[in-house]
Amino acid sequence: MTIPPELQNILSSDPKIMGGDTCFTGTRIPVVILFDNVAAGTSWEEFYDACPSLTPEMVQPVLEWENKQARKAMGLKLVA
């Protein structure tokens, strides 16, 4: 996966860490964990308890980027 430029300070991929999965920088937490937990309806309290090294400042930009990508793919209006 190519990490979008606007997320390169938040996400990283290194073949020596988690087999090259895209993770939150400085952690071994793959970004897919965030997406899976959001899709499963996990509460933010549970999510941050399970992933204490993540902060809202790390998670929010990823969710905003994903939202924009989904809207573009579906031809929906982008919100500011």
Side-chain angles (χ1 to χ4, degrees), residues 4-33:
E6 60 268 39
L7 297 178
Q8 288 181 353
N9 62 328
I10 298 169
L11 301 176
S12 59
S13 178
D14 182 335
K16 297 176 188 172
I17 300 172
M18 300 297 291
D21 288 348
T22 300
C23 295
F24 286 91
T25 300
T27 77
R28 297 177 67 81
I29 303 171
V31 71
V32 72
I33 295 295

Side-chain angles (χ1 to χ4, degrees), residues 19-77:
D21 288 348
T22 300
C23 295
F24 286 91
T25 300
T27 77
R28 297 177 67 81
I29 303 171
V31 71
V32 72
I33 295 295
L34 169 63
F35 299 141
D36 290 349
N37 276 272
V38 169
T42 303
S43 74
W44 290 116
E45 182 178 2
E46 287 178 284
F47 177 75
Y48 288 118
D49 283 348
C51 303
S53 58
L54 298 183
T55 65
E57 293 77 21
M58 297 165 80
V59 168
Q60 192 62 35
V62 175
L63 293 176
E64 288 172 4
W65 182 86
E66 185 65 22
N67 180 38
K68 287 178 187 175
Q69 296 309 304
R71 286 175 176 272
K72 284 179 187 177
M74 290 186 257
L76 301 174
K77 181 179 177 183

